[in-house]
Amino acid sequence: MLRKLPMKGASIGLGDRIGLATEGHIKAVKDAKLFPVFAQQSIRELGFTGRSFKEVINDVMKAIKRTKYDSSFGFDGDHLKSESDIEEALEAGITILTLDCSDEINKTSGLEEALIREFSGRSFRINRVNIHYTEEETLKVAKTYAGVIEKTLKVWEKISHLQNRLSLELSIDETPFPTHPKAHFLIGKSLLSRGVRIDTLAPRFPGTFEKGVDFKGNIKEFEKALAIHHQIASFFGYRLSIHSGSDKFSIFPSIGRITKGNFHIKTSGTSYLQAIKLVGIKDKKLFNKIWETSIERLNEARRFYSLSADPQNILEHKDPLDLFENENARQILHVSYMFVLKPESEIREKFIGLLRRYESEYHNLVAEHIEKHLRALGLSARR
């Protein structure tokens, strides 16, 4: 029942850093109008948790068997960069390859001159939107994204024969600046004209998409950008992908409405947050150990994740659950998996042991939280 992403409709990447959340995911999506990606893991997450892609899919398949789930689902090798990581993910049986091209942005490429010839001075029309490239704009976009296009072409050469079973997502969202619509159009047209078939593309939207908290920024600006990016994606026959999409409740209705339910969204870390919440309910001593470790090693986490969290803005808490109402604390707890789940961590065994003892309660917490996402996105069968 593993398969690639559908060409149309909604899909959601759920992910599971621990290997115990899938039954909760199944409970949340079984009656929803979407395609679930139960197995979603980034190569960065695997590095911190000591798991492999094969272990990720094996954990999902166990949950599939236990629940007798009989619908299709996907397996996403997320944020892949190197050739060796891509090969490992393909060998494990991924059905979605998310190619992270952030390292190729602003990288010198032999494609720059060709792109300048193809786009400089030209105009294109998408529905009622006219896109015109001045020489200056073309030079800037080509210099910024030629390396992205070149990297995607190289990967496509290796995987194009798998396109009947494998979806390709292009990720250009991990940048300090939003993706301009003219950059998106140039990338989409350049790849299509060179025979590359992508299924989803993740641009960098205006505003801030931080871990475990709501969207920060001007919602009207986000909606305007989402609308034009959606038009460009639809024009070329693929869908948009929204990364770090968990807990962005203020913009979920906009995403569902503007795309008409035609999008992919990734939510992996929010299921880990529900595991931490369960620890806070059941074992305050263990929770406090996790919290203290997270605060002590916050600067280390910042090397890998963009976090605005300021510990000075977190009041003393008597109940661990108070922290889940504070966006600074939520961000810090969201990335604490780096220290909690690493194989040599003294916390790991106690943490996973607690989740196993209260597995049913953990699944309920996960299901309730994911259902909240689906309702806001307009995807839940239960209103």
Side-chain angles (χ1 to χ4, degrees), residues 303-321:
R303 291 169 46 203
F304 302 94
Y305 291 98
S306 176
L307 305 169
S308 66
D310 183 355
Q312 300 301 316
N313 291 330
I314 302 171
L315 299 175
E316 290 295 324
H317 62 281
K318 294 182 180 179
D319 187 329
L321 296 187

Side-chain angles (χ1 to χ4, degrees), residues 210-213 216 273 298 302 306-310 326-336:
E210 293 182 309
K211 304 299 181 183
V213 298
K216 298 178 182 179
L273 266 183
L298 179 57
R302 291 189 197 278
S306 176
L307 305 169
S308 66
D310 183 355
N326 182 293
E327 65 176 30
N328 295 278
R330 286 182 66 86
Q331 288 184 58
I332 293 169
L333 288 169
H334 192 287
V335 298
S336 68

Side-chain angles (χ1 to χ4, degrees), residues 47-334:
F48 285 125
T49 60
R51 301 171 77 206
S52 67
F53 283 116
K54 287 184 178 179
E55 287 175 305
V56 169
I57 191 60
N58 285 342
D59 287 335
V60 168
M61 295 307 295
K62 289 175 186 175
I64 295 289
K65 185 176 181 180
R66 284 195 298 268
T67 60
K68 299 181 181 179
Y69 180 82
D70 59 359
S71 297
S72 298
F73 65 96
F75 179 12
D76 185 2
D78 198 15
H79 282 285
L80 299 173
K81 294 182 179 182
S82 72
E83 186 173 329
S84 60
D85 290 340
I86 291 171
E87 288 178 357
E88 178 187 342
L90 290 173
E91 184 181 346
I94 60 167
T95 59
I96 305 149
L97 192 163
T98 298
L99 179 64
D100 184 343
C101 288
S102 56
D103 292 346
E104 273 60 48
I105 291 175
N106 289 318
K107 193 172 184 179
T108 302
S109 167
L111 274 179
E112 286 181 34
E113 291 185 7
L115 295 175
I116 292 168
R117 288 195 302 270
E118 291 171 26
F119 288 89
S120 185
R122 294 190 64 188
S123 295
F124 304 89
R125 192 164 182 80
I126 305 173
N127 297 325
R128 298 179 181 178
V129 178
N130 189 58
I131 296 181
H132 177 73
Y133 292 88
T134 65
E135 182 178 353
E136 183 180 1
E137 287 171 332
T138 311
L139 285 169
K140 182 178 180 180
V141 175
K143 182 178 180 180
T144 305
Y145 292 100
V148 171
I149 296 168
E150 184 176 38
K151 174 66 176 272
T152 307
L153 288 170
K154 289 179 180 178
V155 171
W156 181 253
E157 287 179 8
K158 296 180 181 295
I159 68 168
S160 59
H161 66 290
L162 301 173
Q163 61 181 298
N164 288 333
R165 74 162 183 85
L166 183 69
S167 298
L168 175 61
E169 172 166 312
L170 177 58
S171 168
I172 52 172
D173 68 302
E174 293 202 352
T175 66
F177 51 85
T179 306
H180 195 282
K182 291 184 181 182
H184 181 177
F185 185 90
L186 182 144
I187 292 168
K189 183 168 177 32
S190 299
L191 291 174
L192 187 64
S193 67
R194 288 167 172 79
V196 178
R197 175 73 190 186
I198 63 173
D199 296 87
T200 47
L201 182 141
R204 168 74 160 82
F205 292 103
T208 305
F209 287 72
E210 293 182 309
K211 304 299 181 183
V213 298
D214 207 344
F215 171 81
K216 298 178 182 179
N218 187 311
I219 292 180
K220 293 297 181 184
E221 287 183 7
F222 168 76
E223 290 178 337
K224 183 179 178 181
L226 178 68
I228 184 62
H229 282 301
H230 172 64
Q231 287 187 59
I232 294 170
S234 299
F235 182 80
F236 291 120
Y238 53 81
R239 295 178 301 144
L240 292 180
S241 181
I242 296 97
H243 287 198
S244 296
S246 68
D247 303 285
K248 305 299 181 288
F249 294 103
S250 66
I251 58 173
F252 283 161
S254 302
I255 293 171
R257 172 175 51 81
I258 291 172
T259 68
K260 296 181 173 60
N262 199 42
F263 62 87
H264 182 60
I265 189 166
K266 300 196 180 189
T267 68
S268 178
T270 202
S271 295
Y272 170 76
L273 266 183
Q274 300 312 301
I276 296 293
K277 181 179 285 189
L278 182 66
V279 175
I281 295 170
K282 300 295 184 181
D283 189 336
K284 290 185 179 181
K285 183 178 179 180
L286 178 58
F287 178 89
N288 287 335
K289 179 64 175 176
I290 292 172
W291 177 244
E292 290 165 7
T293 301
S294 303
I295 292 292
E296 289 170 2
R297 304 184 69 173
L298 179 57
N299 287 335
E300 184 178 341
R302 291 189 197 278
R303 291 169 46 203
F304 302 94
Y305 291 98
S306 176
L307 305 169
S308 66
D310 183 355
Q312 300 301 316
N313 291 330
I314 302 171
L315 299 175
E316 290 295 324
H317 62 281
K318 294 182 180 179
D319 187 329
L321 296 187
D322 294 341
L323 290 173
F324 290 88
E325 304 303 318
N326 182 293
E327 65 176 30
N328 295 278
R330 286 182 66 86
Q331 288 184 58
I332 293 169
L333 288 169
H334 192 287

